[in-house]
Amino acid sequence: MRESQTTRALIFGVLTLISISTLIPFLWMLSTSLKENYAVFAYPPEWIPRPVTIEAYFKIFTMIPFGKQLLNSIIVSVSVTLGQLIFCSLAAFSFSRIEYPGRDTIFVLYLATLMVPGYVTLIPGYVLMTWLHWVNTLNALIIPRLFGAAYGTFLLRQFFMTIPFELQDAATIDGCGHLRIYGQIMLPLIKPALATLGLFTFMGTWNDFFWPLIVTNSEEVKTLIVALATLSRSYFSTDWPTMMAGATVSLLPMLVLFGFAQKYFVEGVVLTGIK
């Protein structure tokens, strides 16, 4: 019994140290955003700024169109997340609950697209955006990723497979069609998986850098991550407190989203077998 308690305490201690170590970069970023520029590289490093100033949080709005770029990131991330949830769940429902010839073969071929690196489709994607006259528009950031992805479809399909088929059979006997079974029976049962996929998709889209960098060139269309990354090249010297202030603000939507979805996220991770 004592050995079990000692082992558990040791594990908790190690996990606590790991958690603290992951917080150090965030705490340093927050500390830097509250410093004067000359104090950023002071030695020894100062974790508590002296004096504390929030000037960088106001300055970021004058250096770049911060509000517009923040709105662009929100629009793109929310749109892509909703699209992924709708189309991935529809595809997953089809691959798991509807019998038709070649279903499993199509699903395997669809999963095979996960092995295709994104850089392979970069040039064809950019050429297509140019042909559609979508370069430097939000359409180029939203529509190519709107209609589902193999990873999200696979994630939801695995969750659909855990739902007893007797529920679907009972609904069919009562006269429900596939769309009604999908919307009124299945979707309420896969909330944890939807929350998991939604969180992953929102986080991935919000932090996406390379594709927005390629297809946008004006400050009014850039997303916040691209604008912050290119901010250091816009001036002769880097204003580190201002950059850290922008990075700190850019984390807030994800923290809020995770706070609301944490319960479903943890449940979804366990039930979909990702643990």
Side-chain angles (χ1 to χ4, degrees):
M1 185 68 177
R2 286 184 178 178
E3 292 182 359
S4 177
Q5 293 178 347
T6 303
T7 302
R8 183 175 301 178
L10 181 62
I11 292 175
F12 283 148
V14 172
L15 292 177
T16 300
L17 291 176
I18 294 175
S19 300
I20 294 174
S21 67
T22 59
L23 285 175
I24 289 177
F26 172 76
L27 295 176
W28 182 255
M29 178 179 67
L30 180 62
S31 173
T32 302
S33 69
L34 299 174
K35 294 178 180 178
E36 298 285 354
N37 200 28
Y38 67 85
V40 173
F41 297 104
Y43 186 84
E46 295 181 353
W47 283 93
I48 300 177
R50 298 176 184 176
V52 175
T53 175
I54 60 173
E55 179 183 358
Y57 288 90
F58 295 100
K59 191 175 180 180
I60 189 68
F61 286 92
T62 62
M63 298 178 67
I64 57 176
F66 185 83
K68 176 63 175 176
Q69 292 162 351
L70 177 62
L71 181 61
N72 289 342
S73 292
I74 293 175
I75 292 174
V76 172
S77 299
V78 171
S79 300
V80 172
T81 300
L82 291 178
Q84 291 274 334
L85 291 178
I86 294 172
F87 291 102
C88 285
S89 61
L90 284 170
F93 178 78
S94 172
F95 285 131
S96 61
R97 315 300 295 197
I98 302 176
E99 294 285 347
Y100 53 87
R103 183 192 68 175
D104 294 337
T105 302
I106 296 173
F107 180 65
V108 171
L109 293 175
Y110 188 41
L111 283 185
T113 61
L114 288 172
M115 296 184 290
V116 179
Y119 298 104
V120 173
T121 60
L122 185 63
I123 294 178
Y126 182 79
V127 171
L128 180 61
M129 295 300 103
T130 303
W131 182 70
L132 293 173
H133 302 288
W134 284 354
V135 174
N136 201 38
T137 67
L138 293 182
N139 290 336
L141 300 176
I142 297 174
I143 295 179
R145 295 175 292 180
L146 190 66
F147 301 102
Y151 171 76
T153 302
F154 172 75
L155 181 71
L156 296 182
R157 176 186 178 274
Q158 297 307 105
F159 200 95
F160 273 126
M161 296 294 290
T162 65
I163 300 175
F165 280 85
E166 288 77 10
L167 287 175
Q168 182 175 344
D169 295 337
T172 302
I173 293 174
D174 289 338
C176 294
H178 290 309
L179 287 179
R180 190 173 180 185
I181 293 173
Y182 161 79
Q184 296 186 358
I185 298 176
M186 296 299 172
L187 284 187
L189 295 175
I190 64 167
K191 286 181 180 179
L194 290 175
T196 303
L197 178 59
L199 188 60
F200 283 162
T201 303
F202 187 91
M203 183 172 60
T205 306
W206 185 271
N207 290 325
D208 189 20
F209 174 76
F210 201 67
W211 179 250
L213 177 67
I214 296 297
V215 297
T216 60
N217 50 53
S218 68
E219 295 294 329
E220 296 297 324
V221 184
K222 286 181 180 179
T223 58
L224 186 57
I225 300 300
V226 175
L228 291 177
T230 57
L231 186 62
S232 61
R233 297 184 298 174
S234 302
Y235 300 91
F236 294 104
S237 61
T238 302
D239 191 337
W240 291 106
T242 303
M243 290 188 63
M244 295 301 103
T248 302
V249 174
S250 71
L251 284 177
L252 295 180
M254 284 189 292
L255 294 176
V256 172
L257 179 63
F258 185 80
F260 282 108
Q262 182 178 11
K263 175 184 176 182
Y264 292 110
F265 172 72
V266 174
E267 184 179 351
V269 169
V270 174
L271 294 178
T272 50
I274 306 178
K275 57 181 179 178

